[in-house]
Amino acid sequence: MTIVVTGATGHLGRLVVESLIERGVPAADIRALGRSAERLAPLADLGVQTATIDFEKPDTLASAFSGADALLLVSGSEVGQRVQQHANAIDAAVAAGVGRIVYTSAPHADDTDLVLAPEHTATEKLLAESGLPVTILRNNWYSENYVGQLDTAEATGEIVSSAGDGRVASASRADYADAAAVVLSTPGHEGAVYELSGDEAWSFAELAEAVSEIVGRPVVYRAVSPEEHTSILTGAGLDDGTAGFVVALDGNIRDGALADATTTVSDLIGRPTTPIADTLRAAREQAAA
């Protein structure tokens, strides 16, 4: 059985490869793909097959996908370009006769106002039309998205957001990676759409409490209006487009787009998901090491 993982030079893809090996998949049966041969080298040292690809260069994809029993299509990172990139990958998978595709999508991609969802919705449609067996992993937020809050909170004593009382059912990258590894390496997932999240959703007030313990000083959550948030972000040097994007995401959180906590991840991986406090604390310790 050959399992192919795209995006293996990124955080999630690399963790999926490592999880597959930990779960007993022979390294030689895994093919890790990415755009940088240098960043693939540590995986090659583990005995994993590697190949460089570029979703924007279809001729790099067919041979890399050849012989794949299962292909993990990790969604691209270039917002605004992903639909065509994913289409190229899906077409190459069809041409290569890939056994099945597992795709990392967005929560409730078929019924959400989440600003990041449209490209995922379009990709899910392409996958449905491909004729290949497909499994959709609709990953909720990554807890690591908030690592950047630690230094700011330590310096200011605040976490500032326009998310209101919205809640986030985040999990760690490792949690999502383990779930993907299970789906890739075990049978019975064809046609499934998994809504993946942390076991529990947290509020920004709760996040502030957790961060306070991690950084060793009182930290409070300051809820601001979208307009004030935009002004704060642009005043800190963000361009208008980026600030607008951040505020739109907080608006999605405020409206409940990321609040749906399920036990699907923990059911798949056989353990509870990682609390956000543990993820942030580990990141802090790693940065200090």
Side-chain angles (χ1 to χ4, degrees):
M1 180 178 183
T2 298
I3 298 175
V4 175
V5 178
T6 73
T9 55
H11 294 295
L12 181 65
R14 175 181 55 80
L15 288 170
V16 172
V17 171
E18 293 172 354
S19 182
L20 286 167
I21 294 171
E22 290 172 0
R23 291 174 183 280
V25 176
D29 291 348
I30 303 168
R31 189 178 304 148
L33 310 180
R35 286 191 284 190
S36 168
E38 181 180 357
R39 293 177 66 183
L40 287 168
L43 295 176
D45 291 342
L46 298 177
V48 172
Q49 304 173 50
T50 62
T52 56
I53 63 166
D54 188 329
F55 286 160
E56 294 188 351
K57 298 177 181 178
D59 60 328
T60 68
L61 302 175
S63 61
F65 292 172
S66 177
D69 295 287
L71 166 67
L72 177 64
L73 177 56
V74 176
S75 57
S77 59
E78 296 169 286
V79 176
Q81 303 178 51
R82 294 189 287 187
V83 176
Q84 185 58 58
Q85 291 175 348
H86 296 166
N88 292 341
I90 294 165
D91 289 345
V94 172
V98 166
R100 60 188 175 104
I101 295 180
V102 178
Y103 174 64
T104 61
S105 190
H108 301 288
D110 57 344
D111 182 26
T112 182
D113 292 326
L114 185 66
V115 66
L116 288 171
E119 289 180 303
H120 293 291
T121 306
T123 300
E124 288 192 15
K125 183 174 185 293
L126 292 172
L127 287 166
E129 295 169 350
S130 72
L132 293 175
V134 172
T135 307
I136 303 295
L137 307 180
R138 289 180 174 165
N139 292 353
N140 201 298
W141 231 223
Y142 298 102
S143 295
E144 287 85 351
N145 291 346
Y146 295 94
V147 170
Q149 298 272 11
L150 293 174
D151 288 344
T152 301
E154 183 176 23
T156 66
E158 292 183 333
I159 289 177
V160 179
S161 170
S162 53
D165 294 326
R167 303 184 74 84
V168 180
S170 69
S172 71
R173 287 194 187 103
D175 294 335
Y176 292 119
D178 284 347
V182 169
V183 170
L184 287 164
S185 60
T186 60
H189 305 286
E190 291 84 351
V193 177
Y194 293 124
E195 295 288 346
L196 303 182
S197 72
D199 294 334
E200 297 182 4
W202 48 264
S203 69
F204 277 76
E206 292 166 341
L207 175 64
E209 290 180 12
V211 169
S212 179
E213 294 183 8
I214 294 167
V215 302
R217 65 160 292 178
V219 175
V220 298
Y221 168 45
R222 179 158 67 97
V224 296
S225 70
E227 294 77 16
E228 185 178 358
H229 197 190
T230 301
S231 178
I232 291 169
L233 294 172
T234 55
L238 268 65
D239 61 84
D240 290 343
T242 302
F245 185 71
V246 171
V247 172
L249 283 173
D250 271 11
N252 289 146
I253 293 171
R254 187 173 62 250
D255 294 339
L258 298 179
D260 185 18
T262 74
T263 62
T264 306
V265 171
S266 54
D267 291 342
L268 284 168
I269 67 180
R271 62 169 175 80
T273 58
T274 309
I276 188 169
D278 292 353
T279 298
L280 297 181
R281 184 176 293 106
R284 178 85 162 183
E285 292 170 354
Q286 183 177 11

